[in-house]
Amino acid sequence: MTDNISLSFSHHGSPHTFDFPPTATISDLAERIYTSLSIPQAHQKFIITPKLGILKYPFPNPILPLSSLLSKKIILLAPLPSELSSFAAAAAATVASTPRSQRRTPTVKPTPYRDWQKTQDHATYTFSTLRPLPYLPNPEKSLRFLQRLRDDAGIKASMRKHKFAVGVLTEMNPAEHTTHESRTLGLNRNRGEIIELRLRTDAYDGYRDYRTIRKTLCHELAHNVYGEHDRDFWDLTNAIEKEVEGNDWRAGGHALTDQEFYNPEDGGVDGEHMDSGGWTGGEFVLGGGRSDGSGPASAKHDGLGRRELMAQAAEERMKRQREAEK
C-alpha cells in the first residue's frame, strides 16, 4: 500500500495540512478546500513559490500532481466563508430593493480587438489584494491610493515585463516604522508576499507625494528578485524606474487633489530609509546611498527631482524653525 502525501498551505495566516493519495492533482486540492473550508473553487487562487507563480481555478494544468508541490510554499488567496456569506447577502438585498422595472440587462456592444495574452498577464502579474489599515483615519482614501498604484500604467507594464505577482499591497502605519534617526518608506516581505508602503504623513493629516511613493514601490518590487542592496539590485531598480516612467502615458500621473495626496511639508526624502534590504541587508536612504556609503548615489541630493528638492527644503526649514523656538 502506498503512503499518502501531506500538502501544507496557509490561508489568512492560518496553516492547513491535507492528506492525499500520491496521484492527487491540484484539482483534488481545490475540491478538498471546497468541502473542508467551504470556499468554492471559483474563489480560489494560489500563490506558489518558487517558480510557479499564481494559479487560479480553472487551472492551466488541472492534472498538475500535488507531489510536485510538496517542497514549495503555497498561499491560498480567497475570502473567508463568512465574507462570502456577507457578499451574497448584500447582493441579494440590492436586487430585492431594486424595482423589477429597473432590472434591465445592459446592451452588449461589440468590442474592438483585444490582446488577450496581455489582458491575462495584467490579471496575473499584479497585486492580488489591496489592504488599507482600517484602524487609521479615512481608510477609503488609502484604498483609492493603493488602487491608483495598482492601475498605474507604468507599474502595470513593468510588473508584466518582469512577471511580478504580489500577494498583498498594503499601507504602513507611520508610528510603527519611525525612530529618532529614520523613517521607513517601504518593506517587502518574503519576495512579494506582502509589500508595505508609507502612504500617510507622520501627523496622519494627509498623504505623501505620489511620485515618491511610486519610486519606493519600484524599489520594493526589485526585492522580489534581490534581497541585498548590491549592484544587481540597483541595476534592476533603475531599470524598473525607467520602465515605469517610460510606460506611463499620463506622464507620471497627477494628484486627485493637491490637499489629498500631497503635503509640501512632508517631502518623503531626507532622513528616511527605503527599507532594510527587503528580507535582510543594508540600509538605504532615499536620495543618498546605503548606510555603508555604497549604492548608486552618495551625495545628499543626487537623483532628486525639482519637486522633491523643494519638499526637502521646506521640511528642513521647518526643522530649523522648531529648533529656533526651543
Side-chain angles (χ1 to χ4, degrees):
M1 180 178 178
T2 306
D3 294 336
N4 287 341
I5 59 175
S6 296
L7 187 78
S8 298
F9 64 91
S10 62
H11 177 231
H12 282 257
S14 300
H16 298 274
T17 300
F18 293 153
D19 292 332
F20 294 94
T23 58
T25 67
I26 194 166
S27 298
D28 297 319
L29 173 61
E31 177 66 24
R32 177 71 67 83
I33 290 174
Y34 173 53
T35 58
S36 300
L37 302 182
S38 300
I39 301 174
Q41 288 93 325
H43 293 282
Q44 297 177 23
K45 184 186 297 184
F46 300 93
I47 294 182
I48 303 176
T49 56
K51 292 185 178 180
L52 286 184
I54 294 180
L55 296 182
K56 183 179 179 181
Y57 185 89
F59 308 108
N61 179 13
I63 59 172
L64 177 69
L66 291 184
S67 58
S68 66
L69 307 179
L70 297 181
S71 61
K72 299 184 182 298
K73 181 177 181 179
I74 303 175
I75 300 173
L76 171 62
L77 299 178
L80 294 169
S82 57
E83 294 173 334
L84 290 173
S85 299
S86 64
F87 294 157
T94 300
V95 172
S97 62
T98 303
R100 186 175 298 275
S101 60
Q102 297 181 12
R103 300 178 196 174
R104 299 174 180 174
T105 302
T107 302
V108 178
K109 298 181 180 180
T111 57
Y113 168 78
R114 297 184 65 181
D115 185 340
W116 292 107
Q117 181 60 50
K118 183 177 180 180
T119 301
Q120 182 178 358
D121 285 349
H122 280 318
T124 301
Y125 304 117
T126 185
F127 306 95
S128 297
T129 302
L130 304 179
R131 185 175 298 165
L133 297 180
Y135 55 85
L136 296 183
N138 302 315
E140 68 282 355
K141 289 186 178 181
S142 293
L143 178 60
R144 292 206 306 273
F145 206 120
L146 295 172
Q147 289 171 335
R148 183 181 175 194
L149 288 167
R150 179 198 62 191
D151 298 334
D152 187 291
I155 293 293
K156 291 172 66 175
S158 187
M159 292 185 72
R160 178 175 180 245
K161 176 180 178 180
H162 297 281
K163 301 187 185 302
F164 288 150
V166 176
V168 176
L169 180 65
T170 186
E171 65 172 317
M172 176 184 292
N173 187 347
E176 296 176 357
H177 297 275
T178 302
T179 68
H180 292 295
E181 294 79 19
S182 67
R183 287 174 286 179
T184 301
L185 292 180
L187 290 173
N188 182 323
R189 303 183 186 276
N190 299 327
R191 297 197 180 194
E193 180 178 339
I194 299 175
I195 288 181
E196 301 179 38
L197 297 175
R198 191 186 191 104
L199 304 183
R200 300 172 183 264
T201 60
D202 293 347
Y204 299 92
D205 57 355
Y207 288 76
R208 305 167 69 80
D209 177 44
Y210 177 78
R211 291 176 64 86
T212 300
I213 295 175
R214 188 173 68 169
K215 186 173 182 179
T216 303
L217 179 56
C218 295
H219 180 105
E220 299 309 329
L221 286 172
H223 279 309
N224 282 14
V225 181
Y226 301 108
E228 297 292 338
H229 289 132
D230 55 16
R231 173 47 51 194
D232 290 335
F233 170 83
W234 288 119
D235 288 345
L236 178 57
T237 299
N238 291 335
I240 293 173
E241 289 177 355
K242 290 179 181 178
E243 292 159 5
V244 169
E245 290 289 343
N247 286 284
D248 187 355
W249 53 270
R250 292 169 295 229
H254 59 279
L256 295 185
T257 68
D258 290 340
Q259 293 75 26
E260 184 172 356
F261 287 134
Y262 177 59
N263 180 356
E265 298 176 356
D266 194 351
V269 179
D270 187 32
E272 298 183 341
H273 296 271
M274 189 74 81
D275 57 28
S276 296
W279 321 286
T280 59
E283 218 169 54
F284 175 68
V285 179
L286 183 59
R290 284 181 54 177
S291 58
D292 59 5
S294 63
S298 57
K300 184 176 182 180
H301 298 303
D302 283 356
L304 299 184
R306 178 176 177 272
R307 189 179 187 185
E308 293 166 314
L309 287 172
M310 292 176 62
Q312 185 184 74
E315 185 173 8
E316 290 174 348
R317 286 196 299 270
M318 291 193 63
K319 288 181 180 178
R320 290 196 297 269
Q321 182 179 353
R322 287 195 297 267
E323 291 173 356
E325 293 174 351
K326 291 181 179 178

